[in-house]
Amino acid sequence: TQATYVHAEPGVIFIDRVNELNNLAYCEHIHCCNPCGEQMLPDNGDCNLGHVNLAVMVDDPFTTAARFNFRKLERAAAVMVHLLDNVLDATLWPTEEQRQEAMNKRRIGLGFTGLASALQQLGIPYGSEAAVHLTRTIAKTQAVAAYWASMCLAKERGAFPLFDADKFC
């Protein structure tokens, strides 16, 4: 625990909770995560991650008129979902098992970076109540935009092969 604190690692992961909250629990069991703790993975799972840069989402930064541009965030999230999905098709997989796992579930991970910079541009102290509220709003906005983009991709390309609407939803 001391080492994880000193090195800013994710700390303790409760794998039972991970599996309980996994929307793909009907077709996989999570055993571990990638080395940085960002992506929970089943056997042969891939770590296809991308980030939206929040530091470029502030209009009129460092002024009293500074505001976070949620439409820009939604557009960036949609582009990133499309890009990350395309990465799955462009990847030269090391093993057939990894390729099959990726194609069956089309797992992607979309995060964000530049939060502290965006907060500075907005004049909001990091860790303040206002920062926590804005961060939650940003995360929810990005998640909804990513799910929407995923749904649009499914309409265009078809759902991932192991998708089961009753079990997934």
Side-chain angles (χ1 to χ4, degrees):
T1 303
Q2 176 77 20
T4 59
Y5 177 80
V6 169
H7 296 286
E9 292 298 322
V12 178
I13 296 173
F14 296 97
I15 205 71
D16 57 333
R17 291 285 291 146
V18 168
N19 280 296
E20 183 181 311
L21 296 171
N22 180 8
N23 57 10
L24 292 173
Y26 65 88
C27 64
E28 71 180 15
H29 184 78
I30 302 292
H31 298 282
C32 64
C33 63
N34 73 342
C36 295
E38 304 150 318
Q39 180 82 35
M40 302 294 121
L41 298 168
D43 292 343
N44 294 303
D46 65 290
C47 191
N48 181 16
L49 305 176
H51 296 87
V52 170
N53 183 2
L54 301 180
V56 299
M57 303 287 167
V58 177
D59 294 335
D60 300 317
F62 302 109
T63 70
T64 56
R67 64 201 171 287
F68 192 85
N69 188 328
F70 286 96
R71 284 293 301 139
K72 194 172 185 181
L73 174 62
E74 290 168 340
R75 288 191 307 272
V79 168
M80 286 300 297
V81 165
H82 207 163
L83 178 140
L84 290 168
D85 189 67
N86 287 341
V87 166
L88 295 170
D89 294 324
T91 297
L92 300 174
W93 298 98
T95 69
E96 177 56 26
E97 293 83 5
Q98 288 173 318
R99 187 193 72 73
Q100 196 60 49
E101 173 69 18
M103 295 302 108
N104 280 339
K105 298 173 187 163
R106 304 202 65 85
R107 172 181 269 112
I108 65 169
L110 180 60
F112 53 76
T113 190
L115 174 63
S117 296
L119 291 171
Q120 286 175 331
Q121 293 173 49
L122 292 162
I124 300 173
Y126 190 88
S128 67
E129 191 174 316
V132 170
H133 175 74
L134 179 61
T135 303
R136 285 184 176 143
T137 304
I138 287 169
K140 183 177 181 179
T141 300
Q142 180 169 301
V144 169
Y147 272 112
W148 183 263
S150 241
M151 182 191 67
C152 291
L153 272 179
K155 284 182 177 180
E156 176 187 326
R157 299 177 177 179
F160 59 91
L162 292 182
F163 178 72
D164 180 315
D166 292 330
K167 293 176 182 174
F168 186 87
C169 299

